[in-house]
Structures are given as structure tokens and as C-alpha cells.
């Protein structure tokens, strides 16, 4: 209906470690099917990764306030993600350009997000504990933004990702960043990104002159990486454990057919296979 409108989704996925909803794998797989079909780009975030980010905020009082700290991490992500569309600038990278540059295949559009610095929610005090402001160089911000521990989805703890490849990647700088410095920092990180051989130039740079609140600069990394296969495989395993036992299906068969589950898991497996093929 609106072909020029980019359908960009930020979806929260269960982590599987401490889920409080037993049907979480069903819900996630069923949702992923339609996210794959209906969205132009998806940024997945996992509950466990959000909790880890909250612990890095080093603000105990806020960590005790329920979901507020987790929501704040997502709010910071959305602020960086939409900065190019909200503020003017010749080097801005808006959401449409993100989908255009980072999605080489229509169904492989899952972008792993990470950013630096991670600001605390203690609005009344300076962010000295995060190193915000001018204390961090642009190179360090870029390096931290690309670190596995900064990702908002779980990384492979066994580091079995030697064969992982980036289909495309973007570094979006905000605030006091100069495009030449951002380009230089990105080039230094290029070897660690392991871009696919068929897309050696798949590294996009964007800069927004308006910084985030309480920080002079920030960097957001969006990486369309085959590393997402690790997360999808874990989700598939949890789904199969429930589905093979036919557990909790009666909650769904009141409103849908069982074929919907088969179609959804096959669709997820096709996305996994697509990433594995693209990474070769």
C-alpha cells in the first residue's frame, strides 16, 4: 500500500535462560515468521542482553526499579536509530537508507545492534561512570560499540563464530564526530567485522551532528551478521522441545491450526539456511 515506507521493527526476544513465559519459544517463532515476511529490517533485542546492559550501567538503584532500566536501554537504541530522521544533516543516515544498504537479501534482514556509550538513568548526576563526553576517543567509541559484550542479543559464548560473516555493517556517529575520523575508525575495525567476500564494500558510515543528551558523542553499530544464526538455533531448539511434546498447544489451537506452527518453524529454518549460505 505504501511502497516507499520502510517497515522497520525492533523486536524483543526471549533469552531462554530465565524466561517467565513457558510459551515464549512458540510466540517468538510465530512472530519471526511475520517479521521476516512483513518487515524490511528487524533489530532483535534479547531480555538477557538487556539485563546485562543494565548491570553495566553501574546504577544499583535503577536496576532495582523493574523494567525501567531495560526500557531505558531500548530507548537509547531507538534514539540513535532515529537520529538521522529527526535531525537535519548532510551525512545523516535515515531508516530507509539503513534498510537499503544493510539488507542484501530481502529475507536476511536481521540487524544486530550495539552502541557506546551506555548512559545511566541517573539524570541528576553527571555520567562520569560511563566515560561519556570527551573522555572517550572516537576510535574507542567505535571499538566498544562493535564489541560482542555491547550487543543487544546474546553472543556465542564458546566463540565458535570463526566462520561468521558480516553481510553488511553500518557505523552511525552522533555529536562531535568528523566524517573523516569516523571513516578512519571504521577502516581500522574493518578486519574484525569479517565482511563477506562478495560484499567487501558493505561498510556504511553515517554522522548526525546532534549528540545524545549528557554526552558529546556516541556511536551505533548495526551489523547484518550470520552470527544471528546462533540465536535462531537456540530459539529453534527451545521451540522443538515444546512442540515435540505437544505441550501448551491447546492455548493456540483455539484460534489457529497446527499447520501454522509447522510453517513458522520451517520459515525460521529457511532464514537460518539463508544466513549460512550467505556467509560462505
Amino acid at each position: 500500500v505504501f511502497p516507499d515506507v520502510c517497515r522497520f521493527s525492533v523486536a524483543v526476544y526471549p533469552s531462554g535462560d530465565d524466561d517467565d513465559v513457558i510459551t515464549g519459544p512458540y510466540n517468538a517463532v510465530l512472530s519471526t515468521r511475520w517479521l521476516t515476511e512483513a518487515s524490511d529490517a528487524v533489530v532483535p533485542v534479547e531480555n538477557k542482553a538487556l539485563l546485562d546492559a543494565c548491570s553495566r550501567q553501574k546504577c544499583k538503584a535503577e536496576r532495582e526499579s523493574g523494567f525501567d532500566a531495560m526500557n531505558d536501554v531500548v530507548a537509547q537504541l531507538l534514539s540513535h536509530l532515529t537520529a538521522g530522521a529527526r535531525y537535519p544533516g548532510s551525512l545523516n543516515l535515515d531508516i530507509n537508507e539503513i534498510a537499503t544498504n544493510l539488507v542484501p537479501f530481502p529475507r536476511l534482514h536481521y540487524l544486530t545492534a550495539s552502541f557506546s556509550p551506555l548512559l545511566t538513568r541517573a539524570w541528576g548526576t553527571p555520567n562520569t561512570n560511563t566515560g561519556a563526553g570527551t573522555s572517550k576517543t572516537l576510535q574507542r567509541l567505535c571499538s566498544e560499540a562493535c564489541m560482542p559484550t555491547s550487543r543487544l542479543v546474546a553472543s556465542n559464548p564458546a566463540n565458535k563464530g570463526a566462520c561468521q560473516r558480516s553481510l553488511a555493517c553500518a557505523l552511525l556517529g552522533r555529536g562531535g564526530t568528523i566524517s573523516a575520523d569516523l571513516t578512519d575508525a571504521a577502516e581500522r575495525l574493518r578486519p574484525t567485522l569479517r565482511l563477506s567476500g562478495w560484499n567487501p564494500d558493505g561498510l556504511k558510515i553515517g554522522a548526525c551532528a546532534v549528540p545524545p543528551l549528557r554526552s558529546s558523542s556516541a556511536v551505533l553499530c548495526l551489523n547484518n551478521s550470520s552470527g544471528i544464526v546462533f540465536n535462531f538455533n537456540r530459539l529453534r531448539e527451545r521451540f522443538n522441545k515444546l512442540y515435540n511434546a505437544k505441550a501448551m498447544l491447546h492455548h493456540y489451537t483455539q484460534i489457529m491450526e497446527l499447520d501454522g506452527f509447522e510453517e513458522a518453524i520451517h520459515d525460521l529454518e529457511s532464514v537460518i539456511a539463508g544466513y549460512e549460505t550467505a556467509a560462505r
Side-chain angles (χ1 to χ4, degrees):
V1 180
F2 302 100
D4 296 329
V5 176
C6 178
R7 293 159 296 184
F8 210 102
S9 303
V10 177
V12 180
Y13 277 75
S15 58
D17 297 324
D18 52 1
D19 293 340
D20 58 354
V21 179
I22 193 172
T23 56
Y26 285 161
N27 299 336
V29 170
L30 291 170
S31 299
T32 299
R33 179 191 177 190
W34 295 111
L35 287 170
T36 301
E37 295 295 331
S39 294
D40 295 304
V42 179
V43 176
V45 296
E46 288 185 346
N47 285 325
K48 180 60 165 59
L50 291 176
L51 287 172
D52 291 342
C54 293
S55 67
R56 295 197 305 273
Q57 285 182 316
K58 300 179 182 178
C59 187
K60 186 173 185 292
E62 294 301 339
R63 291 205 306 271
E64 295 174 347
S65 61
F67 293 103
D68 288 347
M70 296 172 67
N71 291 337
D72 185 73
V73 174
V74 177
Q76 291 184 51
L77 166 65
L78 293 175
S79 175
H80 297 322
L81 189 62
T82 60
R86 292 184 290 116
Y87 301 113
S90 58
L91 297 176
N92 280 356
L93 193 66
D94 64 20
I95 289 178
N96 287 324
E97 291 179 284
I98 290 173
T100 299
N101 287 276
L102 299 189
V103 182
F105 305 103
R107 289 171 56 83
L108 308 184
H109 55 229
Y110 289 87
L111 312 180
T112 300
S114 51
F115 60 88
S116 180
L118 177 62
L119 304 176
T120 69
R121 300 185 67 248
W123 291 93
T125 59
N127 260 290
T128 55
N129 60 340
T130 61
T134 59
S135 61
K136 289 192 178 183
T137 65
L138 182 59
Q139 181 65 52
R140 184 178 174 188
L141 283 175
C142 290
S143 297
E144 290 183 354
C146 295
M147 291 175 59
T149 54
S150 298
R151 296 171 188 163
L152 297 184
V153 295
S155 300
N156 191 337
N159 197 25
K160 298 178 181 178
C163 62
Q164 292 180 10
R165 292 284 183 178
S166 293
L167 279 59
C169 183
L171 289 177
L172 311 180
R174 292 188 63 185
T177 60
I178 301 174
S179 60
D181 294 337
L182 188 60
T183 300
D184 181 66
E187 289 301 321
R188 291 173 182 268
L189 289 171
R190 181 183 289 272
T192 66
L193 296 175
R194 295 179 57 82
L195 289 165
S196 296
W198 48 264
N199 192 22
D201 298 321
L203 180 57
K204 183 69 175 177
I205 302 298
C208 175
V210 180
L213 292 175
R214 301 175 301 128
S215 179
S216 63
S217 57
V219 173
L220 168 67
C221 175
L222 293 174
N223 192 0
N224 190 348
S225 169
S226 63
I228 196 66
V229 168
F230 168 73
N231 307 87
F232 284 157
N233 276 331
R234 292 201 312 169
L235 177 59
R236 177 174 59 179
E237 290 172 3
R238 300 199 304 273
F239 175 93
N240 285 335
K241 284 181 180 179
L242 278 177
Y243 190 69
N244 290 339
K246 304 301 179 185
M248 304 295 174
L249 289 177
H250 61 284
H251 296 300
Y252 296 86
T253 53
Q254 301 175 30
I255 56 175
M256 64 178 289
E257 300 293 334
L258 278 179
D259 289 346
F261 286 85
E262 297 286 348
E263 294 170 359
I265 193 61
H266 289 159
D267 191 81
L268 179 63
E269 290 171 344
S270 72
V271 172
I272 292 173
Y275 269 108
E276 290 175 340
T277 300
R280 293 172 184 167

